[in-house]
Amino acid sequence: MAVMYNRVALLGLGLIAGSLSLALKRGGLAGEITGYARSPDTRATAAEIGLVDRVCDTAHAAVKDADLVVLCVPVGAMGALAEEIAPHLKQGAVVSDVGSVKKAVIEAVGPHIPEGVHFIPAHPMAGTEHSGPRSGFAELFDNRWCLIVPAEGSPEPEIARLEQMWQAIGANTERMEVEHHDLVCAVVSHIPHLIAYTMVGVADDLNRVSDSEVIKFSAAGFRDFTRIAASDPTMWRDVFLTNKEATLEVLGRFTEELFALQRAIRTGDGDQLFDYFTRTRAVRRGIIDAGQDTAAPDFGRANKPKTSEPNG
Amino acid sequence: MAVMYNRVALLGLGLIAGSLSLALKRGGLAGEITGYARSPDTRATAAEIGLVDRVCDTAHAAVKDADLVVLCVPVGAMGALAEEIAPHLKQGAVVSDVGSVKKAVIEAVGPHIPEGVHFIPAHPMAGTEHSGPRSGFAELFDNRWCLIVPAEGSPEPEIARLEQMWQAIGANTERMEVEHHDLVCAVVSHIPHLIAYTMVGVADDLNRVSDSEVIKFSAAGFRDFTRIAASDPTMWRDVFLTNKEATLEVLGRFTEELFALQRAIRTGDGDQLFDYFTRTRAVRRGIIDAGQDTAAPDFGRANKPKTSEPNG
């Protein structure tokens, strides 16, 4: 494929930045990829494994002459990082990010973006429970969605180019309005993560059930929660702190429903439970039909292929 | 392997009975396997695909001369089924079950077991989100746990034989006291299922987020919930109705923790969130070390191998 950006700067060198770099290299989409991470250890590891073409010791060195700068740090760190790099951004450069929350990122980063630089927030909805510079892989974005939430006044050609880049590394793209993005993500990602964290915490707490039992018998349903609840704590702390409004709204709906089912259990209302459980089956069917999962009966299976290939 | 039971009768011909039959055939562990299901359609399908050696039109015909009778129906149906077959059970026969709840099953089935027949409740902790006579596969129990909860007075040799049978079809076995079993299962299975059902229901309800969006973007964490929430509604209704005490207790703990995290979000207490999310990572590590899952970064991946093999 043709080079889409002569120089790409990735700030933060974790799972997403690493996977983005490897995917851009796979596609030959970037002339040079520079990278910066605050932690010297992370920079040393990234340099050692050749995660990017050039690891820089400062953010401003990394963004110098960059045509595309992607903020790949936790949402809570983006504002300060944007302020730090602002004076060093090239005229006409595009600044994007990979944050799971968009309203807070736009509010924190937007004001620092200089005249003549284009801010185009994005959110690749892909990840694993692993983090750090060694966790990336080129296939992470294959067949995943990348939501584009353009800031006001972003030029259409630059928005289209960023979308084409994400498509070129395997992702599907969709433009979304900022508030809607944060609500949708609260439903399909943020609250499911909070619930999984909570359930794992409860299991870990219950003294009458030993940790070894929880671990031993996890395949009965609990296991899927533990994978979700193993995700990066810093990233998720920031998600909840910065998407407060939507997460609290969805959480309110969740507890409302949960209490209704709890009451059905207490009162022995089998019909309500049955009807509820029947309705949720249809959602699953839709996901399989949409190609976002398979019907392979692997629920509760012991071993999954040790591979990062989407087609296992 | 040698035949362990000359005649095995499976009552109920769904995922577990079907998988049990196929696993027993795979190991050559049963002389003849008879089967019965209340639904004529299920019986017809089972006969058509040769799920068992002989499909019977009545439960008592199926259990006639059986050395092992396994109740594979929803927990709520076991009492009536036990009463129905009781007069037809052979002296010295073993009656077992596969229910996810044990206290209620023992209370419902126990009183109907005749003198000279041995009741040995069991709970194979394995399943998929699929159900029905076509959903079974011989590998379902490989490397899964089967919990044995012997009723009072069950002769040790018969308990050992049943354990050996489960081991012979690939399962690990562990004996557990009945109340403890129901609590452990509430933690690792029942409440995780209830929560998943609830989250999927909430997503399906939220008018401002379309079903298509929920489905499209499900890989961001929600997807694992939908698989769990696609499990058999009848089975799960009965689980909650019959394991009321333990599920309400664990549910109380869960909502208590969830409210603490909700408050942390509302008040912006990032440290509490970070500490909580960090702790849960250790549980995940233990599960991988215990061989109950792999660290393959398949979270959010689009396609899993379409296979029922545990080593897929």
Side-chain angles (χ1 to χ4, degrees), chain A residues 12-165:
Chain A
L13 294 169
L15 169 67
I16 301 298
S19 300
L20 183 51
S21 181
L22 296 171
L24 288 170
K25 288 169 177 286
R26 178 185 64 175
L29 302 167
E32 184 191 29
I33 303 174
T34 61
Y36 165 77
R38 194 182 46 190
S39 152
D41 289 353
T42 301
R43 294 201 298 270
T45 303
E48 177 198 333
I49 64 177
L51 196 60
V52 295
D53 298 320
R54 183 159 53 90
V55 176
C56 303
D57 290 334
T58 65
H60 61 78
V63 304
K64 186 170 184 304
D65 301 324
D67 305 287
L68 173 65
V69 175
V70 187
L71 310 179
C72 305
V73 298
V75 170
M78 286 188 183
L81 183 59
E83 184 174 16
E84 180 184 347
I85 61 172
H88 311 283
L89 294 170
K90 180 169 109 178
Q91 276 297 298
V94 167
V95 173
S96 190
D97 75 304
V98 297
S100 306
V101 170
K102 286 278 142 294
K103 188 160 182 285
V105 167
I106 290 171
E107 288 170 356
V109 173
H112 300 296
I113 302 297
E115 274 300 314
V117 173
H118 314 298
F119 181 36
I120 308 174
H123 173 205
M125 301 180 80
T128 75
E129 65 273 32
H130 306 297
S131 52
R134 295 184 188 277
S135 61
F137 54 98
E139 302 80 8
L140 178 64
F141 307 109
D142 290 349
N143 196 34
R144 297 267 64 84
W145 285 93
C146 182
L147 303 179
I148 310 289
V149 183
E152 284 172 23
S154 309
E156 175 57 33
E158 290 300 343
I159 299 171
R161 178 154 69 137
L162 188 67
E163 286 174 329
Q164 284 153 21
M165 183 203 78

Side-chain angles (χ1 to χ4, degrees), chain A residues 109-233:
Chain A
V109 173
H112 300 296
I113 302 297
E115 274 300 314
V117 173
H118 314 298
F119 181 36
I120 308 174
H123 173 205
M125 301 180 80
T128 75
E129 65 273 32
H130 306 297
S131 52
R134 295 184 188 277
S135 61
F137 54 98
E139 302 80 8
L140 178 64
F141 307 109
D142 290 349
N143 196 34
R144 297 267 64 84
W145 285 93
C146 182
L147 303 179
I148 310 289
V149 183
E152 284 172 23
S154 309
E156 175 57 33
E158 290 300 343
I159 299 171
R161 178 154 69 137
L162 188 67
E163 286 174 329
Q164 284 153 21
M165 183 203 78
W166 279 105
Q167 289 160 11
I169 61 177
N172 310 308
T173 64
E174 177 154 309
R175 295 188 196 186
M176 208 176 265
E177 180 275 328
V178 59
E179 269 84 10
H180 191 64
H181 167 278
D182 287 1
L183 176 65
V184 168
C185 291
V187 173
V188 301
S189 178
H190 304 170
I191 295 305
H193 274 76
L194 187 72
I195 290 164
Y197 277 119
T198 307
M199 187 64 229
V200 174
V202 168
D204 191 38
D205 269 349
L206 268 183
N207 303 327
R208 285 155 53 214
V209 177
S210 74
D211 281 5
S212 65
E213 283 175 323
V214 166
I215 287 164
K216 217 155 124 183
F217 307 126
S218 64
F222 181 69
R223 194 190 61 188
D224 290 317
F225 284 58
T226 65
R227 188 173 62 236
I228 299 175
S231 305
D232 183 54

Side-chain angles (χ1 to χ4, degrees), chain A residues 125 127-131 137 139-140 143-145 147 174 176 180 183-184 187-189 191-195 197-206 208-209 213-234 236-237 240-241 244 248-249 251 253-255 257-259 261-262 265-266 268 270 274 276-281 283-284 286-287 290 292-305 307 310-311, chain B residues 125 127-131 137 139-140 143-145 147 174 176 180 183-184 187-189 191-195 197-206 208-209 213-234 236-237 240-241 244 248-249 251 253-255 257-259 261-262 265-266 268 270 274 276-281 283-284 286-287 290 292-306 310-311:
Chain A
M125 301 180 80
T128 75
E129 65 273 32
H130 306 297
S131 52
F137 54 98
E139 302 80 8
L140 178 64
N143 196 34
R144 297 267 64 84
W145 285 93
L147 303 179
E174 177 154 309
M176 208 176 265
H180 191 64
L183 176 65
V184 168
V187 173
V188 301
S189 178
I191 295 305
H193 274 76
L194 187 72
I195 290 164
Y197 277 119
T198 307
M199 187 64 229
V200 174
V202 168
D204 191 38
D205 269 349
L206 268 183
R208 285 155 53 214
V209 177
E213 283 175 323
V214 166
I215 287 164
K216 217 155 124 183
F217 307 126
S218 64
F222 181 69
R223 194 190 61 188
D224 290 317
F225 284 58
T226 65
R227 188 173 62 236
I228 299 175
S231 305
D232 183 54
T234 307
W236 284 99
R237 174 200 64 198
F240 294 113
L241 293 179
K244 186 179 294 195
L248 290 177
E249 176 189 345
L251 202 45
R253 288 296 305 269
F254 174 82
T255 47
E257 296 274 317
L258 188 61
F259 284 145
L261 291 174
Q262 180 173 340
I265 293 172
R266 200 183 292 282
F274 181 83
Y276 202 96
F277 299 166
T278 301
R279 182 162 61 88
T280 55
R281 264 195 159 175
V283 178
R284 174 66 181 173
I287 285 168
Q292 290 298 305
D293 201 358
T294 80
D298 69 344
F299 175 35
R301 307 314 306 149
N303 304 309
K304 290 181 183 156
T307 168
N311 297 313
Chain B
M125 300 181 80
T128 75
E129 66 273 30
H130 306 296
S131 52
F137 53 99
E139 302 80 10
L140 178 63
N143 196 35
R144 297 269 64 82
W145 285 93
L147 304 179
E174 178 153 308
M176 207 175 265
H180 190 64
L183 177 64
V184 168
V187 173
V188 300
S189 178
I191 294 305
H193 274 75
L194 187 71
I195 290 165
Y197 276 120
T198 307
M199 187 65 228
V200 174
V202 167
D204 192 38
D205 269 350
L206 268 183
R208 285 157 51 215
V209 178
E213 285 174 321
V214 166
I215 287 165
K216 224 156 116 180
F217 307 125
S218 64
F222 182 70
R223 195 190 61 190
D224 290 318
F225 284 59
T226 66
R227 188 173 63 235
I228 299 174
S231 306
D232 183 54
T234 306
W236 284 99
R237 174 200 64 198
F240 294 113
L241 293 179
K244 187 180 295 194
L248 289 177
E249 176 187 344
L251 201 46
R253 287 296 305 267
F254 174 81
T255 48
E257 296 274 317
L258 187 62
F259 283 146
L261 291 174
Q262 180 173 338
I265 292 173
R266 198 183 294 281
F274 181 84
Y276 202 96
F277 300 166
T278 301
R279 182 161 61 86
T280 55
R281 266 197 157 173
V283 178
R284 174 67 182 172
I287 285 168
Q292 290 297 305
D293 201 357
T294 81
D298 69 345
F299 176 34
R301 307 314 307 147
N303 305 307
K304 290 178 183 160
K306 292 187 175 52
N311 298 314

